[in-house]
Amino acid sequence: MSALPNHVLVEWMSDQKLGSRELAELVNKAVAELTGRPGGLDDSNIRAWRSGRVRCPKSVQLRALEMVSGKSATDLGFERRTRSPATAPAQEEPPVLRRNLIQGAVAIAVAAATPAHAAPRRIGVADVERLQQRFADIVASDHRHGGQQTIEQQAAALSNEALRLQTGGAASQRVRGYLYASAAAFRSSAMWAAIDGRRYNSAIEHMREAQQLAEMSGDQAIKFRIWSHAGTMYRHMKRPADAAAANDVARNLSITRRDPMFASLGHARHAAIHATAADISATRRSFEAAQEAMLRADPDADRPMWMRAFYDQAELDSLALSAFMTLGQYDAAEAHAHRCLAALRPHMHRSRAITTSRLALTQLGQGDLEPAVASAMHVPKDAATTHPRVIEMLATVGNELRRKAPTSPQTRLWTEYARCLKGTGR
């Protein structure tokens, strides 16, 4: 009888955009971390797993694969080999799917795996700093890719890792507060990835857990982030009353009185919520307040890494672009789009793709077909084929072109380009 393909593994690799050679390299690196010797897998071994010719990898390879994927052998479609009673089952590790994340995650896992007979390990600031580096990796990945389920899964797994450290050893009250804040920060990143990917049910689940963790941490900045994200989530869900209520919680936190930059972000997001409710005057007032608060803010003040990484004049203009586009004021929206694109920092790949897509829609709203198509075609192909919000906006570009000018050269050009995009998408 011929072997049956491991469809579960094949589907997982496809979801994570991993080829056989790349997965082999990741597993080899994890084997080296476990044993001190490099693994010997190549792409032919992975193809044997995929085809079903190998029903289950060897124990150390399987353990390494579980560490890389964050899934058990059975969840990956393998039939686990029979274990002796003395062999402990493998523990699930966080899903680390990019090479620049695996070493840190393995280090955390090894540090947390204290034998039962040993004295409790002292959890200190170094453990928190290691988690903070992982958080920086998550934020950087979000700015590059945005909305991907892998980012959501990585962030959620690292939140759980921070909580496991809570029970893995003794720690001061201050360090425990840091650990809860780290867990809340990771969970809020999972929430944002789900929002950005239009997975609202998952986002709500992450939000609830993040809120509880933030309360236990007492960290005002992370509370602001979570409630501000909640306001954005409800705005995208077309629930302006809930959006305003959630964002009001963020805006009323004491951190907005201590630091005008937080106040600015609160006002800017509230302006976008007012636009969803079609309140033009309130939208303008809130953006004026956001701009005024940003001008008062000390640019060199000590702020959380996530805040420094994204909120600046470009983001304020991005929110204004979204708001005025919602209100149908396309000329004002286009002006903010150009300002945003001119000020965006190089690492803001996702934001640039979203802003360029919105720019195309604002130009189309003014009847400028040729600039609109040119803008839409400037959206990077990876974002145009993988980012849910960008895909949705570019589909709207095509629909509007066909509605406004079905036989125009610009419509034909975009239709052909979109067909090619679809052919290259995964």
Tab-separated table of all heavy atoms in Angstrom, residues 105-138:
chain	number	residue	atom	x	y	z
A	105	ALA	N	13.316	32.314	21.659
A	105	ALA	CA	12.232	31.506	22.197
A	105	ALA	C	12.763	30.224	22.815
A	105	ALA	O	12.289	29.771	23.852
A	105	ALA	CB	11.214	31.177	21.104
A	106	VAL	N	13.765	29.605	22.165
A	106	VAL	CA	14.356	28.402	22.730
A	106	VAL	C	15.021	28.715	24.062
A	106	VAL	O	14.916	27.964	25.029
A	106	VAL	CB	15.374	27.783	21.744
A	106	VAL	CG1	16.178	26.689	22.401
A	106	VAL	CG2	14.639	27.231	20.524
A	107	ALA	N	15.696	29.874	24.132
A	107	ALA	CA	16.355	30.261	25.383
A	107	ALA	C	15.346	30.420	26.504
A	107	ALA	O	15.584	30.002	27.636
A	107	ALA	CB	17.131	31.565	25.183
A	108	ILE	N	14.183	31.022	26.193
A	108	ILE	CA	13.138	31.177	27.217
A	108	ILE	C	12.634	29.821	27.660
A	108	ILE	O	12.439	29.561	28.850
A	108	ILE	CB	11.988	32.037	26.665
A	108	ILE	CG1	12.471	33.471	26.459
A	108	ILE	CG2	10.794	32.025	27.605
A	108	ILE	CD1	11.444	34.366	25.798
A	109	ALA	N	12.417	28.915	26.677
A	109	ALA	CA	11.881	27.601	27.009
A	109	ALA	C	12.843	26.831	27.899
A	109	ALA	O	12.439	26.182	28.865
A	109	ALA	CB	11.604	26.810	25.734
A	110	VAL	N	14.156	26.890	27.567
A	110	VAL	CA	15.136	26.179	28.372
A	110	VAL	C	15.193	26.758	29.773
A	110	VAL	O	15.271	26.041	30.776
A	110	VAL	CB	16.521	26.244	27.692
A	110	VAL	CG1	17.606	25.726	28.610
A	110	VAL	CG2	16.488	25.447	26.397
A	111	ALA	N	15.139	28.092	29.883
A	111	ALA	CA	15.202	28.730	31.199
A	111	ALA	C	14.008	28.363	32.052
A	111	ALA	O	14.108	28.245	33.270
A	111	ALA	CB	15.269	30.249	31.033
A	112	ALA	N	12.851	28.190	31.422
A	112	ALA	CA	11.626	27.892	32.179
A	112	ALA	C	11.533	26.438	32.579
A	112	ALA	O	10.733	26.076	33.439
A	112	ALA	CB	10.398	28.280	31.353
A	113	ALA	N	12.332	25.548	31.943
A	113	ALA	CA	12.189	24.107	32.180
A	113	ALA	C	13.011	23.685	33.387
A	113	ALA	O	13.948	22.904	33.287
A	113	ALA	CB	12.639	23.339	30.934
A	114	THR	N	12.696	24.165	34.574
A	114	THR	CA	13.411	23.837	35.805
A	114	THR	C	12.950	22.475	36.310
A	114	THR	O	11.749	22.249	36.445
A	114	THR	CB	13.123	24.896	36.887
A	114	THR	OG1	13.481	26.170	36.352
A	114	THR	CG2	13.910	24.613	38.155
A	115	PRO	N	13.844	21.542	36.599
A	115	PRO	CA	13.428	20.240	37.112
A	115	PRO	C	12.629	20.382	38.397
A	115	PRO	O	12.841	21.303	39.185
A	115	PRO	CB	14.763	19.523	37.360
A	115	PRO	CG	15.765	20.242	36.502
A	115	PRO	CD	15.304	21.656	36.436
A	116	ALA	N	11.714	19.429	38.626
A	116	ALA	CA	10.798	19.511	39.763
A	116	ALA	C	11.536	19.463	41.091
A	116	ALA	O	11.091	20.018	42.078
A	116	ALA	CB	9.783	18.367	39.692
A	117	HIS	N	12.718	18.766	41.112
A	117	HIS	CA	13.415	18.609	42.387
A	117	HIS	C	14.322	19.789	42.706
A	117	HIS	O	14.866	19.868	43.800
A	117	HIS	CB	14.254	17.326	42.356
A	117	HIS	CG	15.325	17.357	41.313
A	117	HIS	ND1	15.093	16.953	40.014
A	117	HIS	CD2	16.628	17.755	41.364
A	117	HIS	CE1	16.211	17.092	39.308
A	117	HIS	NE2	17.150	17.583	40.102
A	118	ALA	N	14.506	20.705	41.765
A	118	ALA	CA	15.416	21.823	41.987
A	118	ALA	C	14.725	22.933	42.769
A	118	ALA	O	13.503	23.036	42.797
A	118	ALA	CB	15.910	22.376	40.654
A	119	ALA	N	15.528	23.768	43.420
A	119	ALA	CA	14.971	24.911	44.132
A	119	ALA	C	14.399	25.901	43.121
A	119	ALA	O	14.884	26.002	42.004
A	119	ALA	CB	16.070	25.582	44.950
A	120	PRO	N	13.338	26.643	43.482
A	120	PRO	CA	12.731	27.601	42.550
A	120	PRO	C	13.762	28.614	42.045
A	120	PRO	O	14.569	29.128	42.812
A	120	PRO	CB	11.656	28.291	43.410
A	120	PRO	CG	11.364	27.320	44.511
A	120	PRO	CD	12.646	26.616	44.786
A	121	ARG	N	13.742	28.855	40.757
A	121	ARG	CA	14.670	29.802	40.156
A	121	ARG	C	14.211	31.225	40.452
A	121	ARG	O	13.019	31.506	40.516
A	121	ARG	CB	14.709	29.579	38.639
A	121	ARG	CG	15.744	30.400	37.923
A	121	ARG	CD	15.867	29.929	36.487
A	121	ARG	NE	14.729	30.318	35.679
A	121	ARG	CZ	14.633	31.478	35.039
A	121	ARG	NH1	15.581	32.391	35.168
A	121	ARG	NH2	13.590	31.759	34.289
A	122	ARG	N	15.145	32.111	40.636
A	122	ARG	CA	14.831	33.512	40.878
A	122	ARG	C	14.579	34.198	39.538
A	122	ARG	O	15.437	34.209	38.659
A	122	ARG	CB	15.979	34.207	41.617
A	122	ARG	CG	15.681	35.652	42.014
A	122	ARG	CD	14.729	35.696	43.176
A	122	ARG	NE	14.424	37.074	43.579
A	122	ARG	CZ	13.542	37.385	44.520
A	122	ARG	NH1	12.880	36.425	45.149
A	122	ARG	NH2	13.316	38.645	44.836
A	123	ILE	N	13.379	34.756	39.366
A	123	ILE	CA	13.037	35.471	38.149
A	123	ILE	C	13.412	36.936	38.357
A	123	ILE	O	12.987	37.558	39.335
A	123	ILE	CB	11.536	35.357	37.824
A	123	ILE	CG1	11.100	33.894	37.828
A	123	ILE	CG2	11.230	36.011	36.483
A	123	ILE	CD1	11.808	33.029	36.830
A	124	GLY	N	14.201	37.474	37.439
A	124	GLY	CA	14.695	38.830	37.621
A	124	GLY	C	14.486	39.717	36.414
A	124	GLY	O	13.814	39.363	35.447
A	125	VAL	N	15.106	40.878	36.477
A	125	VAL	CA	14.959	41.870	35.415
A	125	VAL	C	15.491	41.337	34.083
A	125	VAL	O	14.966	41.664	33.021
A	125	VAL	CB	15.678	43.174	35.813
A	125	VAL	CG1	15.672	44.177	34.662
A	125	VAL	CG2	15.013	43.790	37.050
A	126	ALA	N	16.527	40.480	34.123
A	126	ALA	CA	17.077	39.930	32.883
A	126	ALA	C	16.023	39.126	32.117
A	126	ALA	O	15.982	39.160	30.884
A	126	ALA	CB	18.289	39.052	33.183
A	127	ASP	N	15.167	38.399	32.860
A	127	ASP	CA	14.100	37.644	32.212
A	127	ASP	C	13.103	38.587	31.543
A	127	ASP	O	12.615	38.323	30.443
A	127	ASP	CB	13.379	36.765	33.239
A	127	ASP	CG	14.299	35.745	33.872
A	127	ASP	OD1	14.583	34.719	33.228
A	127	ASP	OD2	14.745	35.980	35.012
A	128	VAL	N	12.811	39.686	32.221
A	128	VAL	CA	11.896	40.682	31.661
A	128	VAL	C	12.512	41.305	30.411
A	128	VAL	O	11.827	41.490	29.385
A	128	VAL	CB	11.559	41.764	32.704
A	128	VAL	CG1	10.692	42.855	32.081
A	128	VAL	CG2	10.860	41.147	33.905
A	129	GLU	N	13.796	41.615	30.477
A	129	GLU	CA	14.460	42.221	29.317
A	129	GLU	C	14.449	41.279	28.114
A	129	GLU	O	14.313	41.714	26.971
A	129	GLU	CB	15.884	42.609	29.688
A	129	GLU	CG	15.952	43.789	30.653
A	129	GLU	CD	17.368	44.085	31.112
A	129	GLU	OE1	18.259	43.216	30.883
A	129	GLU	OE2	17.586	45.157	31.701
A	130	ARG	N	14.607	39.976	28.373
A	130	ARG	CA	14.546	39.007	27.279
A	130	ARG	C	13.159	39.003	26.639
A	130	ARG	O	13.016	38.955	25.416
A	130	ARG	CB	14.913	37.619	27.791
A	130	ARG	CG	15.042	36.567	26.689
A	130	ARG	CD	15.741	35.308	27.171
A	130	ARG	NE	15.094	34.715	28.316
A	130	ARG	CZ	15.633	34.611	29.533
A	130	ARG	NH1	16.851	35.075	29.747
A	130	ARG	NH2	14.987	34.041	30.520
A	131	LEU	N	12.136	39.080	27.469
A	131	LEU	CA	10.774	39.162	26.941
A	131	LEU	C	10.569	40.447	26.152
A	131	LEU	O	9.899	40.445	25.106
A	131	LEU	CB	9.762	39.090	28.086
A	131	LEU	CG	9.527	37.713	28.708
A	131	LEU	CD1	8.705	37.849	29.987
A	131	LEU	CD2	8.834	36.783	27.738
A	132	GLN	N	11.123	41.534	26.643
A	132	GLN	CA	10.970	42.808	25.942
A	132	GLN	C	11.621	42.767	24.557
A	132	GLN	O	11.115	43.379	23.614
A	132	GLN	CB	11.570	43.943	26.779
A	132	GLN	CG	10.735	44.315	27.995
A	132	GLN	CD	9.341	44.782	27.609
A	132	GLN	OE1	9.167	45.558	26.674
A	132	GLN	NE2	8.338	44.299	28.320
A	133	GLN	N	12.723	42.039	24.429
A	133	GLN	CA	13.341	41.894	23.113
A	133	GLN	C	12.433	41.112	22.174
A	133	GLN	O	12.299	41.425	20.990
A	133	GLN	CB	14.695	41.201	23.232
A	133	GLN	CG	15.420	41.055	21.886
A	133	GLN	CD	15.578	42.380	21.163
A	133	GLN	OE1	16.089	43.335	21.719
A	133	GLN	NE2	15.128	42.443	19.903
A	134	ARG	N	11.785	40.086	22.697
A	134	ARG	CA	10.827	39.320	21.894
A	134	ARG	C	9.661	40.222	21.481
A	134	ARG	O	9.134	40.123	20.372
A	134	ARG	CB	10.300	38.126	22.689
A	134	ARG	CG	11.392	37.243	23.237
A	134	ARG	CD	11.820	36.106	22.330
A	134	ARG	NE	12.176	36.433	20.974
A	134	ARG	CZ	13.358	36.922	20.608
A	134	ARG	NH1	14.283	37.187	21.497
A	134	ARG	NH2	13.614	37.155	19.345
A	135	PHE	N	9.254	41.129	22.392
A	135	PHE	CA	8.168	42.064	22.075
A	135	PHE	C	8.604	42.994	20.942
A	135	PHE	O	7.823	43.280	20.026
A	135	PHE	CB	7.809	42.864	23.328
A	135	PHE	CG	6.636	43.799	23.150
A	135	PHE	CD1	5.468	43.370	22.549
A	135	PHE	CD2	6.703	45.117	23.592
A	135	PHE	CE1	4.392	44.223	22.387
A	135	PHE	CE2	5.641	45.971	23.438
A	135	PHE	CZ	4.475	45.530	22.836
A	136	ALA	N	9.850	43.443	20.986
A	136	ALA	CA	10.361	44.302	19.909
A	136	ALA	C	10.324	43.566	18.571
A	136	ALA	O	9.997	44.155	17.528
A	136	ALA	CB	11.786	44.749	20.238
A	137	ASP	N	10.641	42.267	18.581
A	137	ASP	CA	10.580	41.471	17.344
A	137	ASP	C	9.153	41.385	16.814
A	137	ASP	O	8.916	41.461	15.603
A	137	ASP	CB	11.115	40.059	17.601
A	137	ASP	CG	12.615	40.032	17.862
A	137	ASP	OD1	13.305	40.987	17.443
A	137	ASP	OD2	13.089	39.066	18.489
A	138	ILE	N	8.189	41.216	17.730
A	138	ILE	CA	6.786	41.130	17.321
A	138	ILE	C	6.335	42.451	16.698
A	138	ILE	O	5.672	42.477	15.652
A	138	ILE	CB	5.893	40.785	18.533
A	138	ILE	CG1	6.128	39.330	18.976
A	138	ILE	CG2	4.419	41.018	18.225
A	138	ILE	CD1	5.617	38.297	17.994
